[in-house]
Amino acid sequence: MIKVGDTLPATTLMEFSEVEGNGCSIGPNPVDVAKATAGKTIALFALPGAFTPTCSAKHVPGYVEKFAELKAAGVDEIWCLSVNDAFVMGAWARDQKTGDKVRMLADGSAEFAKATGLTLDLNARGMGLRSNRYSMLVKDGKVVSLNVEGPGKFEVSDAATLLAQAKG
């Protein structure tokens, strides 16, 4: 499993863009993790699935709510990762009204989740291999703090916890 001090895996995530802009076409666009984190502080959180109860009711809304405070604490971007496709993440972004506050990034084939060792096997529930629920503070591609939830828990990966770590 990835740990504090490690560099994020050299993988590519996908992001849905509602409108064309800044050289991005409409539709899924690749996000090279190494390039996208270079020289930035990222508040990254991951969860088992878009539109799932805890993720929709608590996890994403907390980061949207704490956006200004996280920015004030030195965070350049907030990323939400899930093992879903970019179209689902785009629809969820609309539903959650993340706007320019949270980048909703798809790890469709679970490559990032597998590379970090933070997978969650939900085959018995018909959901396949997913991402565990966690948050991490990343500076220039390196993990500064990591908060991995226990099975079925939502106690340490919330926005308030990561905000306290960003301020610290």
Side-chain angles (χ1 to χ4, degrees), residues 31-42 77 79 103 105 141:
V31 176
D32 180 301
V33 172
K35 289 179 184 173
T37 59
K40 293 181 184 171
T41 298
I42 309 290
E77 295 180 1
W79 292 10
R103 292 183 75 177
L105 300 172

Side-chain angles (χ1 to χ4, degrees), residues 40 108 111 137 147 152:
K40 293 181 184 171
E111 293 304 318
L137 191 62
N147 313 294

Side-chain angles (χ1 to χ4, degrees), residues 5-51:
D6 288 351
T7 299
L8 291 182
T11 55
T12 300
L13 301 167
M14 296 299 286
E15 183 174 34
F16 183 83
S17 297
E18 283 290 342
V19 291
E20 192 168 357
N22 298 327
C24 295
S25 62
I26 296 174
N29 293 291
V31 176
D32 180 301
V33 172
K35 289 179 184 173
T37 59
K40 293 181 184 171
T41 298
I42 309 290
L44 184 156
F45 67 104
L47 34 84
F51 294 104

